[in-house]
Amino acid sequence: QKEVEQDPGPLSVPEGAIVSLNCTYSNSAFQYFMWYRQYSRKGPELLMYTYSSGNKEDGRFTAQVDKSSKYISLFIRDSQPSDSATYLCAMSPIHGSGNTGKLIFGQGTTLQVKP
Amino acid sequence: KAGVTQTPRYLIKTRGQQVTLSCSPISGHRSVSWYQQTPGQGLQFLFEYFSETQRNKGNFPGRFSGRQFSNSRSEMNVSTLELGDSALYLCASSLATLGRGGTDTQYFGPGTRLTVL
């Protein structure tokens, strides 16, 4: 079983819809949670970064972390065709010996927003 | 501020050859991590360098190696290429809060797409 599970989709929604993307994880040591967006033939771009549990909002994007359920979510409001991309969740524990510089990624969810 | 740059962007090699990929981090960033991305396995961590030292290593064979220079630029090398090494190789840089807990936000380059024939 992978440490981070993410439904690869694809997920297709109409423009303006609210999109919900999710990841589950098994390692209780994970404390930092990130969402990256990756367009075709590009590198991942950091969207959201949260520490421990709680919500964080940035424009149309909201990230939620529920450590008790080992479940994280990314919500996109008023989705646009330009949001069509692959969304990757990533996690890491607090830095310590042997785990520096390493993010554990989900498989990525491919999102298509149709005009 | 310029982002992470990687060269070359595309490479085609044949089995048995070796390849060297280059990464220039964001100015001021001291840590460089390398990842391999494939459709089947997703993004997998290769190794991380800080101050010219490898601090962390993923579960890849010894054919995969890297190094970091005093200006924080990094290279990774893959020897004796296999078909399964075809992938997008991504480099990420971060400031690195050494010894202070927390974690470091990683910023990715565009990647080098390696095709092994």
Side-chain angles (χ1 to χ4, degrees):
Chain A
Q1 185 185 1
K2 293 186 176 182
E3 281 188 283
V4 180
E5 298 280 358
Q6 184 178 9
D7 185 341
L11 179 63
S12 183
V13 301
E15 183 176 354
I18 296 175
V19 176
S20 173
L21 304 166
N22 312 292
C23 289
T24 59
Y25 62 95
S26 57
N27 189 344
S28 58
F30 289 149
Q31 297 281 349
Y32 294 89
F33 305 91
M34 288 139 274
W35 286 94
Y36 285 84
R37 176 175 62 193
Q38 187 174 23
Y39 290 112
S40 180
R41 301 193 175 279
K42 302 281 189 181
E45 169 195 11
L46 181 66
L47 278 177
M48 302 286 285
Y49 172 92
T50 53
Y51 168 68
S52 194
S53 289
N55 294 2
K56 187 173 183 179
E57 187 174 323
D58 184 3
R60 296 185 296 113
F61 299 90
T62 299
Q64 287 185 350
V65 175
D66 181 349
K67 290 190 67 184
S68 63
S69 302
K70 296 190 177 68
Y71 188 89
I72 70 170
S73 301
L74 177 71
F75 298 96
I76 307 174
R77 291 183 299 279
D78 188 24
S79 57
Q80 303 294 310
S82 59
D83 294 327
S84 299
T86 296
Y87 289 79
L88 298 147
C89 63
M91 313 179 185
S92 76
I94 290 176
H95 267 183
S97 177
N99 65 12
T100 56
K102 177 180 179 180
L103 296 179
I104 310 299
F105 282 85
Q107 192 71 9
T109 300
T110 299
L111 171 67
Q112 184 180 28
V113 181
K114 295 184 176 180
Chain B
K1 196 181 262 192
V4 177
T5 59
Q6 293 186 246
T7 56
R9 293 293 311 279
Y10 302 92
L11 266 178
I12 299 176
K13 294 285 187 179
T14 56
R15 280 182 299 173
Q17 287 187 308
Q18 76 166 19
V19 66
T20 299
L21 313 181
S22 181
C23 171
S24 292
I26 293 171
S27 177
H29 284 195
R30 302 165 68 191
S31 168
V32 173
S33 296
W34 288 89
Y35 295 84
Q36 180 195 66
Q37 186 175 31
T38 59
Q41 298 298 318
L43 269 147
Q44 293 185 288
F45 174 77
L46 281 157
F47 30 64
E48 184 243 4
Y49 285 87
F50 176 83
S51 290
E52 302 178 63
T53 301
Q54 186 183 91
R55 289 198 301 184
N56 199 4
K57 188 178 189 306
N59 190 27
F60 278 82
R63 300 186 297 107
F64 292 82
S65 63
R67 58 178 176 168
Q68 186 181 35
F69 302 95
S70 59
N71 61 358
S72 294
R73 190 177 70 84
S74 178
E75 290 181 347
M76 69 163 281
N77 184 275
V78 188
S79 62
T80 319
L81 284 166
E82 300 177 0
L83 295 178
D85 297 332
S86 295
L88 181 67
Y89 289 88
L90 292 158
C91 161
S93 75
S94 65
L95 280 170
T97 54
L98 182 64
R100 287 191 278 147
T103 196
D104 296 304
T105 305
Q106 294 189 12
Y107 298 89
F108 284 82
T112 294
R113 185 163 297 279
L114 172 65
T115 301
V116 182
L117 303 175

